[in-house]
Amino acid sequence: MEVVRSVIVGASAGLGRALAENLAAAGHDLFLIASDERDLAALRADLHIRHAGKVAILAMDLVAPEVPRLRAEVLAELGGIDNLFYVAGTSRMDAGALPDDVLAELIAVNFTSALRIINALLDDLAKNRGANIVGMSSVAAARGRRINSVYGAAKRGFEGYFEALRHRLADLPCRVQFYRLGYLRTRMTFGQKLLFPPLDPAEAARVIVGNLGRDIGLVYLPWWWRPIIAIIIRLPWPIYKRLNI
Amino acid sequence: MKQRFVSLDRHSVCVGEYDEPDRYREIVAVRADTPLIARGAGLSYVAASFGEGVRSIGLRRFDRILAFDAAERWIEVEAGVSLGKLYNFCLQHGLGLPVQPGHPQITVGGCIAGNVHGKNQFREGLFGDHVLSLRLFHPRHGIFDLSRQRESSLFELTVGGLGLTGLIVSARLALAPLSSDIVEVEHIATDSIDETFARVATLRTARDLVYGWIDLAQRDGRCRGYVVVASTLPPRAGAGSRTRVVRPLDPGRQRFRPPLFNARTMPLVNRLYRSAGVHRSTRRSVPLFDVLFPAVGKEFYFDWFGAGGFVEMQVLVPEKDSTGYVQEVIKLIRRHEQPIVLTTVKAFAGAARLLHYTGSGFSFSLDVPNTPGSLALLADLDDLNCANGVKSAVLKDSRLPAAAIRRQYADYEEFRDRIRSFDPARSFQSSLSRRLDL
């Protein structure tokens, strides 16, 4: 049986790390990308020692990724690519105006860098039978909110790209999957008072890996966010504008 | 964020700051603008990982295996790795940690900071004896790579240093061969305290696990008990560890805790417990996991002391004075008429050093409900201990006063001075270190 080759962008912590652990246990060869080599090296060591598959890493600034280098290293290390997971994300509450560099980082990591990396690997994935392109958005993108407008807008743009990508690849064997994630028990939600219980990243990873190969489009994770978001996006403006969410 | 912290015995409670980094850049960005202390699983009996006005740094996310050499028998891990994860990994390679405390959630960092003991300290020594090297981060001093050869003084101060020298980030640990994951266990009935001590002394060199259980709840003064011994068996076809679901142990969780361990119930509870133990006196095969981690499946024990929790006094009694000392303990227990819920005896060996709980003799533990009457008994026992050269385990007893430790540990002042010399600003503190005036 051929080894499945998976690339995870944003692999050092949270959901990205949980996906890496799940895929390594399933026997995938991995190429892990994140901004800090220390975290990647520790994760590579752990996965390599506990599982049989190959684990390669690349530390890269996801605000300004060197996309040609990234593709070249992926192909050199794995010899091809079957799954691409774009998990990287950064969030910042922005009730007021943000410093320009922070705003640029939010847009880059959550939107433009994602598009650039997917675009660079798209031809390697598109005609590959059994390939998957998997992106992570957030329930925060469902309707604009006053407290994280830039993050929400960037993720909404990312969703729009995935919708178009799914349409473009509809007649090809590569699947395009997109998740609107609710609260996850990660650094992003640490210390926050949340309206609903957070999902453990390991459980989220189990669901995402279980869905590989399926033509599912947009999926809420956990599923019960779908009816909640359905209500939120239908709230009349006079009511919505009064909500402190 | 603010968090309510509770020690395992639920004697110590306080609200403090809690942070849980998951990337190395967040660790090295930690600043000592408020007192800090590392926190692993949070299962110490005492308030070793939190304190009023202290920022606890949770290291559970740092739980990866960094390097492993089966031939040389060592493993390098991040400090937040749990004993359960290590057990499962090492077992596949026929190896195991030589020293392990009783719950799989406990982290390696906590074991090093507490320099804990395991199932047969007499043979295995302390956890720190098997630490080959470690990496330490201190916000004012940076990162140190420590071992017995490199910065040995700081290494010695960190192993068993109660987390007061900084954040232990990772460690390299020696492993021991493990012939199988099945253990032969035997319960040997005893009719007196003297017999229990004598049996433990006789069997301590021959078995992997040896401890005595004594019933101090009966009014007839007989103090019967039993001794549990266990040895790893050779591999057998078809034999294998039973998979156990580990229910997270969380002393801070709010729930009803019935006060079932009290003066009225304990005579009956202990009679039934001993009968059950002695009834199993024939040798039987048990999964190693169950022997290494006896608290799994018995979490109710910590709850049945009631909402107030309990206090454990664990003391190291010199072997030559043990019989006379225990008779004095029994006299005090009779005088105070307090329920003694659990009493155990283990054999110890080793040279006393700093605040390490080690030395030659018997480790004698008493668990009592956290009530004014029991605390008065323990205060009298402190005096008895100081007068008899008996020393208390600082990581077990939540109410142990600094005055007692000063008298019991010859190296107390040296430990205190060296901590202050390394870190004059006292960047790392906990409720425990403050109570002990460290």
Side-chain angles (χ1 to χ4, degrees), chain B residues 14 19 38 63 133 152 165 173 176 178 185 204 220 222 234 264 272 287 293-294 302 343 347 388 435:
Chain B
C14 89
D19 196 7
D63 64 346
S133 62
S152 59
T165 57
L173 310 171
L178 202 61
V185 177
R204 62 192 170 187
D220 60 11
R222 291 182 64 184
R264 274 197 294 266
L272 293 172
F293 306 119
F302 303 101
T343 309
N388 285 273
R435 173 165 51 78

Side-chain angles (χ1 to χ4, degrees), chain B residues 267-317:
Chain B
L268 177 61
V269 169
N270 271 3
R271 247 198 306 272
L272 293 172
Y273 188 71
R274 182 175 185 274
S275 295
V278 173
H279 178 69
R280 294 180 293 177
S281 59
T282 51
R283 293 179 183 185
R284 61 204 171 90
S285 298
V286 172
L288 175 62
F289 184 93
D290 293 4
V291 173
L292 287 177
F293 306 119
V296 174
K298 301 184 186 73
E299 293 82 1
F300 62 87
Y301 173 79
F302 303 101
D303 291 338
W304 285 7
F305 284 90
F310 67 103
V311 178
E312 176 164 312
M313 171 179 273
Q314 187 175 56
V315 293
L316 193 52
V317 188

Side-chain angles (χ1 to χ4, degrees), chain B residues 105-125:
Chain B
Q105 269 174 255
I106 294 170
T107 63
V108 163
C111 290
I112 296 172
N115 202 11
V116 298
H117 62 266
K119 306 295 176 282
N120 187 352
Q121 195 276 350
F122 184 86
R123 273 186 21 176
E124 304 155 347

Side-chain angles (χ1 to χ4, degrees), chain A residues 12-14 17 21 35-36 38-43 45-47 49-50 185-187 190-192 201, chain B residues 1 18-26 28 61-68 76 78 85 89 92-93:
Chain A
S12 62
R17 179 179 159 186
E21 290 173 347
S35 57
D36 196 323
R38 292 167 293 188
D39 301 310
L40 285 172
L43 184 58
D46 184 66
L47 298 179
I49 290 167
R50 291 194 296 133
R185 193 173 293 116
T186 64
R187 191 73 177 147
F190 180 79
Q192 291 186 22
Chain B
M1 69 171 185
Y18 183 59
D19 196 7
E20 199 171 274
D22 64 359
R23 291 174 172 88
Y24 278 103
R25 63 172 175 254
E26 293 165 358
V28 296
R61 308 270 189 192
F62 292 85
D63 64 346
R64 290 164 287 211
I65 298 170
L66 301 175
F68 172 61
E76 190 169 324
E78 292 178 318
K85 179 176 176 176
F89 173 76
Q92 299 167 31
H93 300 272

Side-chain angles (χ1 to χ4, degrees), chain B residues 3-187:
Chain B
Q3 181 162 316
R4 179 175 174 269
F5 294 104
V6 182
S7 59
L8 182 64
D9 63 8
R10 293 199 313 287
H11 175 280
S12 306
V13 179
C14 89
V15 174
E17 282 291 324
Y18 183 59
D19 196 7
E20 199 171 274
D22 64 359
R23 291 174 172 88
Y24 278 103
R25 63 172 175 254
E26 293 165 358
I27 286 191
V28 296
V30 167
R31 295 284 167 261
D33 41 9
T34 57
L36 304 166
I37 197 72
R39 182 171 170 86
L43 291 185
S44 175
Y45 278 67
V46 300
S49 65
F50 60 86
E52 194 79 40
V54 172
R55 188 165 156 234
S56 298
I57 307 294
L59 292 166
R60 284 186 301 187
R61 308 270 189 192
F62 292 85
D63 64 346
R64 290 164 287 211
I65 298 170
L66 301 175
F68 172 61
D69 190 325
E72 296 292 323
R73 292 185 195 152
W74 58 259
I75 191 165
E76 190 169 324
V77 295
E78 292 178 318
V81 75
S82 69
L83 299 180
K85 179 176 176 176
L86 268 185
Y87 171 81
N88 287 327
F89 173 76
C90 294
L91 189 63
Q92 299 167 31
H93 300 272
L95 297 167
L97 291 177
V99 174
Q100 307 202 53
H103 199 279
Q105 269 174 255
I106 294 170
T107 63
V108 163
C111 290
I112 296 172
N115 202 11
V116 298
H117 62 266
K119 306 295 176 282
N120 187 352
Q121 195 276 350
F122 184 86
R123 273 186 21 176
E124 304 155 347
L126 297 174
F127 194 92
D129 297 331
H130 308 280
V131 178
L132 303 174
S133 62
L134 63 87
R135 176 165 286 189
L136 181 77
F137 172 71
H138 190 289
R140 296 183 200 276
H141 301 308
I143 289 177
F144 297 92
D145 287 311
L146 310 173
S147 68
R148 288 180 183 82
Q149 293 77 37
R150 189 172 177 179
E151 306 232 34
S152 59
S153 175
L154 185 55
F155 179 82
E156 183 192 47
L157 200 59
T158 300
V159 175
L162 308 175
L164 303 182
T165 57
L167 301 175
I168 297 169
V169 178
S170 61
R172 182 174 289 195
L173 310 171
L175 299 171
L178 202 61
S179 57
S180 87
D181 56 353
I182 301 291
V183 172
E184 184 184 73
V185 177
E186 185 181 6
H187 287 62

Side-chain angles (χ1 to χ4, degrees), chain B residues 310-370:
Chain B
F310 67 103
V311 178
E312 176 164 312
M313 171 179 273
Q314 187 175 56
V315 293
L316 193 52
V317 188
E319 187 163 351
K320 62 181 172 55
D321 305 324
S322 58
T323 307
Y325 168 80
V326 171
Q327 292 310 322
E328 291 299 316
V329 171
I330 291 170
K331 277 185 203 167
L332 277 175
I333 290 170
R334 301 281 177 256
R335 191 194 309 158
H336 283 266
E337 295 186 323
Q338 293 302 313
I340 306 299
V341 177
L342 180 72
T343 309
T344 58
V345 183
K346 290 178 181 173
F348 265 54
R353 187 78 187 110
L354 300 178
L355 295 189
H356 303 176
Y357 182 67
T358 188
S360 292
F362 293 104
S363 177
F364 184 68
S365 303
L366 299 173
D367 284 9
V368 297
N370 178 21

